[in-house]
Amino acid sequence: MNSIKSLSNRELDVLACVAARCSNKETAKLLNISPRTAETHVRHILIKIGCFTREAAIDFLKKTDLRDELQKRYEKISQTSFFTKIDREKHIRRTICAAATVTMLLSPLAFKIFETGDQTVEERGYFMRRKSIDKQIEAALCKEKRISIIVLIGCGGAGKTALARKHLLKLRADFKFEINADAENSILNSMFDLADKLATDKESKEELKFIAGIPNEIEKRKKLLNFIQNRMKKLPNWAIILDNLEDLKYLKEFCPNNPEVWGTGKVIITTRNENIKTVRYLGDIDAISVGELEEDEKAELFESVSGIPPNKETANFLKQIPGYPLDVFTAACYIKISGISLSEYLKRTSEISDEFVTVSKRLMAESLNYDKTRYGIVTSNFREILSKNKSFGELLLLICLFDSQKIPLKILRQMSGAVVADNLISYLKQYSVVSCDGDEASIHRSVQSIGLDYLSKEMRLSEKSAFLKKAISICAPYDCLKATYTNSVKLIPHLKAFLEKMDKLLVPNAERYKTLLLITIGDIYRFGEC
């Protein structure tokens, strides 16, 4: 294994912390760095050694000679007399971390070493197979282009980053790098890291140092990009990931799309924003939707994490949780560590308590180097969307109260006007919250449940009461649809869902509103008898 040779000394220290099961905050404290820097190091380490999760990295140590290399490194460090140096506290912290790691590595009960040989990334078990999507990505990467751009689009927790990293590792490229593209500062920091990797001689390192010292930010940015482009263009081929791209305005500046400027390579972009399909200056891109796992993939992931073999009970359980890797991994990890039953887990997800959310978030941070949960992703999306326009609130609430499939956009437009409703749908698509088919929208049930819980807590009683009066009035078939029975009857599943979920709004006089909904449903059936 040559992976050890690609890791810097600092990355080895961070890997030791990962092996000692330290969180990013604990690693930062031990190594006297910021948690964000620790997170960045972990991300780069996972890419270099071909893993997606922290657990896979520990497993990698068990199966390769990297374990012995780390062991020798820390044994050597422990024999030095660095305690007399000025930065004594910093070194003491490193030694504490190293000692914990060496103890774990030397334990005869910790693991049994065996060679991995020439196994592929999937065969080593670090990445799950996603047959359909893997085939699409492989086909896109095989196209003969000087620069190929593949875009993986899906909601948070769909596994876009894992897919991007897996296929980056499989590519035969001379240079590979991942850019954290979730915000402007993240992109700029990653670009400086990229430039640092490309600065392979003393002259280029001096040039980069000069660029970093330029006081004018616009000039600094321009020089940095020129520095990167000039060096990437000289490489035979390269592969870049732009991970978690939120704002498409940065694409034109930072995304390699012109071979005359950037040279020859592959770009894999991960994003929630479906609007990237309309960005013309990217040219001919391959946009691939990353949705839920197939049933067998879902079962395989759950078993591999939880250790629970497949049976009728687990099959029924998996049907009741979202089929995204994040949700399956969270469920499996939570059940394995807490020891609760499958039915108890479903009960806790339906109640959505603060404690449950906190524990789930901690498990994700410790296991995946990923501090987001489905609840956190959805509430963050809703919060950001509501910041765009406060009138989106009543539309979002109606979407969460309706049935999850085939929500008629005509109702939303009737509720607050076509312009506002269409703007909301545009934002929801940007965050991969809904999918649209003609004049109908669909949303995942888990998103609805979390969104309803969030909005019910955020809205005042007076706002919820006013919403109910308006929404029920709008949903009356003669007021809204003014159409045939065939069109009117399509509203029945949504009104029934509305009826079932109304108690979650915690409004007084809920029975009166339920009665109005029942009357509306009855009117539709009578309409069909006329």
PDB file of all heavy atoms in Angstrom, residues 40 72 82 87 92 101 156 207 216 220 259 274 301 327 357 363 394 398 487 494:
ATOM      1  N   THR A  40     -11.370  19.523   7.441  1.00  0.00           N
ATOM      2  CA  THR A  40     -10.760  19.531   6.105  1.00  0.00           C
ATOM      3  C   THR A  40      -9.712  18.433   5.976  1.00  0.00           C
ATOM      4  O   THR A  40      -9.654  17.717   4.974  1.00  0.00           O
ATOM      5  CB  THR A  40     -10.117  20.901   5.818  1.00  0.00           C
ATOM      6  OG1 THR A  40     -11.124  21.921   5.889  1.00  0.00           O
ATOM      7  CG2 THR A  40      -9.483  20.921   4.434  1.00  0.00           C
ATOM      8  N   LYS A  72       5.093   2.809  14.145  1.00  0.00           N
ATOM      9  CA  LYS A  72       6.512   3.179  14.160  1.00  0.00           C
ATOM     10  C   LYS A  72       6.678   4.678  14.366  1.00  0.00           C
ATOM     11  O   LYS A  72       7.560   5.128  15.103  1.00  0.00           O
ATOM     12  CB  LYS A  72       7.170   2.757  12.847  1.00  0.00           C
ATOM     13  CG  LYS A  72       7.304   1.255  12.675  1.00  0.00           C
ATOM     14  CD  LYS A  72       7.852   0.919  11.291  1.00  0.00           C
ATOM     15  CE  LYS A  72       7.883  -0.590  11.063  1.00  0.00           C
ATOM     16  NZ  LYS A  72       8.343  -0.916   9.682  1.00  0.00           N
ATOM     17  N   PHE A  82      11.218  16.218  22.876  1.00  0.00           N
ATOM     18  CA  PHE A  82      10.669  17.497  22.436  1.00  0.00           C
ATOM     19  C   PHE A  82       9.981  18.264  23.564  1.00  0.00           C
ATOM     20  O   PHE A  82       9.535  19.381  23.390  1.00  0.00           O
ATOM     21  CB  PHE A  82       9.674  17.307  21.295  1.00  0.00           C
ATOM     22  CG  PHE A  82       8.588  16.323  21.573  1.00  0.00           C
ATOM     23  CD1 PHE A  82       7.625  16.564  22.531  1.00  0.00           C
ATOM     24  CD2 PHE A  82       8.519  15.151  20.842  1.00  0.00           C
ATOM     25  CE1 PHE A  82       6.611  15.660  22.775  1.00  0.00           C
ATOM     26  CE2 PHE A  82       7.506  14.243  21.080  1.00  0.00           C
ATOM     27  CZ  PHE A  82       6.550  14.496  22.046  1.00  0.00           C
ATOM     28  N   ASP A  87       7.123  25.121  22.288  1.00  0.00           N
ATOM     29  CA  ASP A  87       5.726  24.759  22.056  1.00  0.00           C
ATOM     30  C   ASP A  87       5.408  23.439  22.763  1.00  0.00           C
ATOM     31  O   ASP A  87       4.848  22.516  22.210  1.00  0.00           O
ATOM     32  CB  ASP A  87       5.406  24.656  20.570  1.00  0.00           C
ATOM     33  CG  ASP A  87       6.381  23.764  19.812  1.00  0.00           C
ATOM     34  OD1 ASP A  87       7.373  23.372  20.426  1.00  0.00           O
ATOM     35  OD2 ASP A  87       6.121  23.484  18.636  1.00  0.00           O
ATOM     36  N   ILE A  92       2.723  18.065  23.853  1.00  0.00           N
ATOM     37  CA  ILE A  92       2.140  17.193  24.869  1.00  0.00           C
ATOM     38  C   ILE A  92       0.775  16.702  24.394  1.00  0.00           C
ATOM     39  O   ILE A  92       0.443  15.531  24.519  1.00  0.00           O
ATOM     40  CB  ILE A  92       2.014  17.922  26.218  1.00  0.00           C
ATOM     41  CG1 ILE A  92       3.404  18.114  26.824  1.00  0.00           C
ATOM     42  CG2 ILE A  92       1.122  17.137  27.172  1.00  0.00           C
ATOM     43  CD1 ILE A  92       3.401  18.951  28.081  1.00  0.00           C
ATOM     44  N   THR A 101      -3.710   6.327  20.562  1.00  0.00           N
ATOM     45  CA  THR A 101      -3.754   5.604  19.298  1.00  0.00           C
ATOM     46  C   THR A 101      -2.892   4.360  19.328  1.00  0.00           C
ATOM     47  O   THR A 101      -3.313   3.281  18.921  1.00  0.00           O
ATOM     48  CB  THR A 101      -3.279   6.524  18.154  1.00  0.00           C
ATOM     49  OG1 THR A 101      -4.076   7.694  18.165  1.00  0.00           O
ATOM     50  CG2 THR A 101      -3.431   5.833  16.812  1.00  0.00           C
ATOM     51  N   GLY A 156     -29.828  16.637   0.492  1.00  0.00           N
ATOM     52  CA  GLY A 156     -28.797  16.349   1.474  1.00  0.00           C
ATOM     53  C   GLY A 156     -28.955  14.947   2.030  1.00  0.00           C
ATOM     54  O   GLY A 156     -30.065  14.523   2.347  1.00  0.00           O
ATOM     55  N   GLU A 207       6.100  32.109  -5.376  1.00  0.00           N
ATOM     56  CA  GLU A 207       5.069  32.845  -6.122  1.00  0.00           C
ATOM     57  C   GLU A 207       3.741  32.788  -5.382  1.00  0.00           C
ATOM     58  O   GLU A 207       3.033  33.802  -5.269  1.00  0.00           O
ATOM     59  CB  GLU A 207       4.912  32.259  -7.527  1.00  0.00           C
ATOM     60  CG  GLU A 207       3.897  33.024  -8.377  1.00  0.00           C
ATOM     61  CD  GLU A 207       3.725  32.422  -9.769  1.00  0.00           C
ATOM     62  OE1 GLU A 207       4.505  31.498 -10.133  1.00  0.00           O
ATOM     63  OE2 GLU A 207       2.799  32.854 -10.483  1.00  0.00           O
ATOM     64  N   ASN A 216      -5.078  43.546  -2.161  1.00  0.00           N
ATOM     65  CA  ASN A 216      -6.319  43.715  -2.930  1.00  0.00           C
ATOM     66  C   ASN A 216      -6.936  42.339  -3.205  1.00  0.00           C
ATOM     67  O   ASN A 216      -6.348  41.512  -3.899  1.00  0.00           O
ATOM     68  CB  ASN A 216      -6.009  44.438  -4.252  1.00  0.00           C
ATOM     69  CG  ASN A 216      -7.277  44.767  -5.034  1.00  0.00           C
ATOM     70  OD1 ASN A 216      -7.996  43.874  -5.472  1.00  0.00           O
ATOM     71  ND2 ASN A 216      -7.536  46.050  -5.220  1.00  0.00           N
ATOM     72  N   LYS A 220      -5.819  39.473  -5.827  1.00  0.00           N
ATOM     73  CA  LYS A 220      -5.330  38.209  -5.253  1.00  0.00           C
ATOM     74  C   LYS A 220      -6.066  37.018  -5.874  1.00  0.00           C
ATOM     75  O   LYS A 220      -5.462  36.004  -6.239  1.00  0.00           O
ATOM     76  CB  LYS A 220      -5.541  38.217  -3.739  1.00  0.00           C
ATOM     77  CG  LYS A 220      -5.051  36.937  -3.052  1.00  0.00           C
ATOM     78  CD  LYS A 220      -5.547  36.838  -1.620  1.00  0.00           C
ATOM     79  CE  LYS A 220      -4.959  37.926  -0.745  1.00  0.00           C
ATOM     80  NZ  LYS A 220      -5.343  37.746   0.686  1.00  0.00           N
ATOM     81  N   PRO A 259     -10.972  23.811 -21.814  1.00  0.00           N
ATOM     82  CA  PRO A 259      -9.688  23.085 -21.903  1.00  0.00           C
ATOM     83  C   PRO A 259      -8.512  23.954 -22.333  1.00  0.00           C
ATOM     84  O   PRO A 259      -7.361  23.644 -22.021  1.00  0.00           O
ATOM     85  CB  PRO A 259      -9.978  21.985 -22.934  1.00  0.00           C
ATOM     86  CG  PRO A 259     -11.170  22.449 -23.689  1.00  0.00           C
ATOM     87  CD  PRO A 259     -11.978  23.254 -22.731  1.00  0.00           C
ATOM     88  N   GLU A 274     -31.114  21.895  -8.617  1.00  0.00           N
ATOM     89  CA  GLU A 274     -31.502  21.377  -9.934  1.00  0.00           C
ATOM     90  C   GLU A 274     -31.356  22.424 -11.035  1.00  0.00           C
ATOM     91  O   GLU A 274     -31.270  22.080 -12.212  1.00  0.00           O
ATOM     92  CB  GLU A 274     -32.947  20.883  -9.905  1.00  0.00           C
ATOM     93  CG  GLU A 274     -33.128  19.566  -9.187  1.00  0.00           C
ATOM     94  CD  GLU A 274     -34.477  18.947  -9.459  1.00  0.00           C
ATOM     95  OE1 GLU A 274     -35.222  19.482 -10.306  1.00  0.00           O
ATOM     96  OE2 GLU A 274     -34.796  17.929  -8.828  1.00  0.00           O
ATOM     97  N   LEU A 301     -26.928  -1.906   3.305  1.00  0.00           N
ATOM     98  CA  LEU A 301     -26.326  -0.876   4.146  1.00  0.00           C
ATOM     99  C   LEU A 301     -26.761  -1.032   5.595  1.00  0.00           C
ATOM    100  O   LEU A 301     -25.947  -0.954   6.520  1.00  0.00           O
ATOM    101  CB  LEU A 301     -26.705   0.514   3.617  1.00  0.00           C
ATOM    102  CG  LEU A 301     -26.253   1.704   4.473  1.00  0.00           C
ATOM    103  CD1 LEU A 301     -24.738   1.728   4.616  1.00  0.00           C
ATOM    104  CD2 LEU A 301     -26.744   3.019   3.867  1.00  0.00           C
ATOM    105  N   ASP A 327     -30.215   8.495   6.111  1.00  0.00           N
ATOM    106  CA  ASP A 327     -31.283   8.044   6.998  1.00  0.00           C
ATOM    107  C   ASP A 327     -31.115   6.576   7.387  1.00  0.00           C
ATOM    108  O   ASP A 327     -31.353   6.204   8.538  1.00  0.00           O
ATOM    109  CB  ASP A 327     -32.634   8.262   6.313  1.00  0.00           C
ATOM    110  CG  ASP A 327     -32.843   9.709   5.926  1.00  0.00           C
ATOM    111  OD1 ASP A 327     -33.338  10.487   6.744  1.00  0.00           O
ATOM    112  OD2 ASP A 327     -32.480  10.077   4.796  1.00  0.00           O
ATOM    113  N   VAL A 357     -32.746  14.179  18.158  1.00  0.00           N
ATOM    114  CA  VAL A 357     -32.027  14.902  17.106  1.00  0.00           C
ATOM    115  C   VAL A 357     -30.565  15.117  17.506  1.00  0.00           C
ATOM    116  O   VAL A 357     -29.649  14.934  16.698  1.00  0.00           O
ATOM    117  CB  VAL A 357     -32.706  16.255  16.805  1.00  0.00           C
ATOM    118  CG1 VAL A 357     -31.854  17.085  15.845  1.00  0.00           C
ATOM    119  CG2 VAL A 357     -34.090  16.034  16.209  1.00  0.00           C
ATOM    120  N   LEU A 363     -23.873  11.064  16.525  1.00  0.00           N
ATOM    121  CA  LEU A 363     -23.492   9.798  15.885  1.00  0.00           C
ATOM    122  C   LEU A 363     -22.970  10.027  14.480  1.00  0.00           C
ATOM    123  O   LEU A 363     -21.993   9.402  14.049  1.00  0.00           O
ATOM    124  CB  LEU A 363     -24.692   8.845  15.842  1.00  0.00           C
ATOM    125  CG  LEU A 363     -25.149   8.272  17.182  1.00  0.00           C
ATOM    126  CD1 LEU A 363     -26.395   7.419  16.991  1.00  0.00           C
ATOM    127  CD2 LEU A 363     -24.050   7.461  17.829  1.00  0.00           C
ATOM    128  N   GLU A 394     -47.152  29.980   4.553  1.00  0.00           N
ATOM    129  CA  GLU A 394     -48.443  29.303   4.438  1.00  0.00           C
ATOM    130  C   GLU A 394     -48.447  28.280   3.304  1.00  0.00           C
ATOM    131  O   GLU A 394     -49.104  27.239   3.397  1.00  0.00           O
ATOM    132  CB  GLU A 394     -49.562  30.326   4.240  1.00  0.00           C
ATOM    133  CG  GLU A 394     -49.458  31.169   2.985  1.00  0.00           C
ATOM    134  CD  GLU A 394     -50.596  32.178   2.874  1.00  0.00           C
ATOM    135  OE1 GLU A 394     -51.229  32.466   3.915  1.00  0.00           O
ATOM    136  OE2 GLU A 394     -50.866  32.646   1.754  1.00  0.00           O
ATOM    137  N   LEU A 398     -49.038  24.227   3.783  1.00  0.00           N
ATOM    138  CA  LEU A 398     -50.046  23.494   3.004  1.00  0.00           C
ATOM    139  C   LEU A 398     -49.412  22.277   2.330  1.00  0.00           C
ATOM    140  O   LEU A 398     -49.996  21.186   2.306  1.00  0.00           O
ATOM    141  CB  LEU A 398     -50.680  24.417   1.959  1.00  0.00           C
ATOM    142  CG  LEU A 398     -51.878  23.828   1.182  1.00  0.00           C
ATOM    143  CD1 LEU A 398     -52.997  23.455   2.147  1.00  0.00           C
ATOM    144  CD2 LEU A 398     -52.377  24.825   0.143  1.00  0.00           C
ATOM    145  N   ASN A 487     -61.261  15.807 -12.077  1.00  0.00           N
ATOM    146  CA  ASN A 487     -60.239  16.696 -11.522  1.00  0.00           C
ATOM    147  C   ASN A 487     -60.463  16.946 -10.029  1.00  0.00           C
ATOM    148  O   ASN A 487     -59.510  17.039  -9.254  1.00  0.00           O
ATOM    149  CB  ASN A 487     -60.228  18.025 -12.272  1.00  0.00           C
ATOM    150  CG  ASN A 487     -59.632  17.894 -13.662  1.00  0.00           C
ATOM    151  OD1 ASN A 487     -58.789  17.033 -13.892  1.00  0.00           O
ATOM    152  ND2 ASN A 487     -60.069  18.729 -14.583  1.00  0.00           N
ATOM    153  N   HIS A 494     -55.457  14.491  -0.668  1.00  0.00           N
ATOM    154  CA  HIS A 494     -54.816  15.620   0.005  1.00  0.00           C
ATOM    155  C   HIS A 494     -55.662  16.128   1.161  1.00  0.00           C
ATOM    156  O   HIS A 494     -55.142  16.478   2.224  1.00  0.00           O
ATOM    157  CB  HIS A 494     -54.556  16.743  -1.007  1.00  0.00           C
ATOM    158  CG  HIS A 494     -53.663  16.325  -2.128  1.00  0.00           C
ATOM    159  ND1 HIS A 494     -52.349  15.992  -1.942  1.00  0.00           N
ATOM    160  CD2 HIS A 494     -53.907  16.159  -3.460  1.00  0.00           C
ATOM    161  CE1 HIS A 494     -51.805  15.658  -3.103  1.00  0.00           C
ATOM    162  NE2 HIS A 494     -52.735  15.746  -4.032  1.00  0.00           N
TER     163      HIS A 494
END
